[in-house]
Amino acid sequence: SALKDSRFPPMTRDELPRLFCSVSLLTNFEDVCDYMDWEVGVHGIRIEFINEKGSKRTATYLPEVAKEQG
């Protein structure tokens, strides 16, 4: 995401001294029946769907990001 994720501008050389790295591991995904079957800040979530052109799309949201963003 630092260079190729269209949601974020590319990193600059000036930002390098202030960067840090972390790793989040999401495991044991479970299917749910209701979109409210998860707790913000506790669970990550992976969304999969087929768009109007028939292409499969996925998105993964980490628990700490959801909590930070409210």
Side-chain angles (χ1 to χ4, degrees):
S1 65
L3 300 173
K4 296 182 181 181
D5 190 326
S6 62
R7 297 173 299 166
F8 307 104
M11 293 183 325
T12 65
R13 187 177 305 274
D14 294 337
E15 292 176 294
L16 291 176
R18 298 187 310 271
L19 294 178
F20 68 94
C21 180
S22 64
V23 176
S24 296
L25 300 176
L26 300 178
T27 61
N28 302 322
F29 285 97
E30 299 176 14
D31 291 334
V32 297
C33 296
D34 189 277
Y35 75 97
M36 295 298 290
D37 286 348
W38 67 299
E39 188 175 339
V40 174
V42 175
H43 302 109
I45 186 170
R46 181 177 60 198
I47 300 169
E48 297 181 0
F49 62 95
I50 306 296
N51 71 10
E52 65 281 352
K53 295 180 180 179
S55 298
K56 182 178 178 181
R57 298 293 186 200
T58 62
T60 302
Y61 297 89
L62 304 173
E64 59 270 18
V65 174
K67 190 173 183 179
E68 288 171 5
Q69 299 297 313

